Structures are given as structure tokens and as C-alpha cells.
Amino acid sequence: MSTEATLLERCESKCELCSSESALSPYVVSPHTQVTVDHAVMLCSTCKDQIEDPESAEINHWRCLNDSMWSQVPAVQVLAWRQLKRLSATKGWGQDLLDMMYMDEEVQKWAEIGMNDDEEKPRDVNGVELKKGDDVTVIKDLPVKGSSMIIKQGTAVRGIALTDDPKHIQGKVNGQTMFIIAEYCRKK
């Protein structure tokens, strides 16, 4: 029996999150990349689209998690937990469901690993993500705390390093290593 056929049998030909019976396809739960029975779920196109593009999420669609969060399938638990975690930031009912949810320690770690992809990242003035080793240009004069030095507009900072705080980057300016606010830079 193929993996997809096994998944369809497991879910009784219904979306494993919302129970819809239309347009089902396998969805691999990150950080895994292979479609396997243990690391994939069958999702309808609505759930899949909203997971892949959280900006398009229709909040009330996710009330279905009230049922699917109790699934015995670890991959379904992981997806339900991640969606509830996203919803909990704006919706009280999302946090309430999250508080009731129980997962084994190993499944909890799997769920949290995938959420790290959503962590805040340092971004320049245009919203472009900054990465270690990028070159940036300072877009306005910046006074350096604790000194009379000013980093002038247009100063190039080569080979930046990232910090624990996504609002700051680290780089050398005039031979001195210092922290710079990421949003006052433009990626070259």
C-alpha cells in the first residue's frame, strides 16, 4: 500500500484538521521533508493554503482545532499546536485550547522546533531579512552611546554578525566593533 493510501485510510478520507472531504493531499510537517506516515498529514486545500500563508488565515476556520487537537497522531497534534500558538497571540480561545492541550515531551519538542522558523528576524529599513555576512549601509547619522562618535549616513558596514536581539546587528565601523539598530540600515 502506498504512503498516500495509508494516510487516506488513517484519516478516513477527511482532512485531519477540519474534517473536510474535498481536495485532500499529503502535507509534510516540518522540519521533516519526506512524505511518510509518521511525518505527514492529509489536509484539504483550505487548511494547507492557510498554513503555508498565515496572512490569508480565516480565523474562524481554525475553530476545528477544538476537535483535531485531541488526535492520537503526533503529526496532527504538532500542526494543531502550531496553529493554536499562532492564534493565541490574537484570540483568547486559541490560548484556552492551547492550555488544555497535552502532548508527549518528544512531540512537544517537534512542535516547538517548527515554530523557530517564525521567530523574529533582523530586517533592514525596507523589511529585507539580514543574514550573517551581509553588507549594509547606514541610512542616517547614528550617535554612539557612551561616546561623542557619530556613525555617518552612508557608512558601509561589511560582514555583519547577528545578535540575540533581532533589532540589532553587529559590525565594524571605523575599526571598532559595535551594535547597530537593524532598521537604520539598508542591505547592499
Side-chain angles (χ1 to χ4, degrees):
M1 188 182 290
S2 73
T3 302
E4 189 167 337
T6 305
L7 288 170
L8 282 169
E9 185 179 307
R10 177 181 79 194
C11 71
E12 300 174 352
S13 297
K14 294 180 181 175
C15 175
E16 292 188 86
L17 291 181
C18 74
S19 299
S20 170
E21 295 179 9
S22 62
L24 297 177
S25 61
Y27 179 83
V28 181
V29 182
S30 67
H32 303 285
T33 56
Q34 300 287 328
V35 175
T36 66
V37 175
D38 294 331
H39 302 131
V41 296
M42 291 303 282
L43 295 183
C44 66
S45 58
T46 304
C47 286
K48 189 174 185 179
D49 292 344
Q50 290 187 34
I51 287 171
E52 291 174 348
D53 182 16
E55 302 300 317
S56 71
E58 182 186 323
I59 303 301
N60 285 327
H61 173 78
W62 294 109
R63 291 194 180 264
C64 63
L65 296 175
N66 191 30
D67 296 324
S68 57
M69 69 186 236
W70 302 111
S71 171
Q72 295 300 310
V73 178
V76 176
Q77 292 175 358
V78 167
L79 275 183
W81 186 88
R82 288 177 184 173
Q83 283 304 110
L84 289 171
K85 191 77 171 165
R86 286 185 184 107
L87 290 168
S88 67
T90 57
K91 299 293 175 193
W93 60 264
Q95 185 62 50
D96 292 343
L97 291 177
L98 200 57
D99 291 342
M100 288 190 291
M101 194 169 180
Y102 170 79
M103 292 188 298
D104 290 334
E105 189 176 324
E106 189 175 301
V107 177
Q108 180 76 34
K109 285 180 184 175
W110 178 11
E112 290 171 357
I113 286 170
M115 290 303 286
N116 290 342
D117 296 342
D118 296 337
E119 283 183 356
E120 196 174 335
K121 298 183 172 43
R123 300 194 180 275
D124 75 357
V125 67
N126 297 319
V128 176
E129 183 182 336
L130 298 173
K131 296 184 173 145
K132 181 179 178 180
D134 284 347
D135 296 338
V136 297
T137 303
V138 177
I139 62 163
K140 69 180 232 174
D141 290 353
L142 298 174
V144 177
K145 279 188 180 178
S147 78
S148 59
M149 184 176 159
I150 294 178
I151 303 172
K152 295 287 186 187
Q153 176 180 350
T155 301
V157 183
R158 295 187 185 349
I160 65 167
L162 303 182
T163 66
D164 292 337
D165 183 352
K167 294 179 181 159
H168 296 106
I169 58 171
Q170 187 176 10
K172 279 193 173 190
V173 178
N174 299 332
Q176 291 184 316
T177 301
M178 55 187 68
F179 293 96
I180 304 167
I181 299 172
E183 66 185 37
Y184 295 139
C185 299
R186 179 177 295 116
K187 184 175 178 177
K188 285 186 166 187

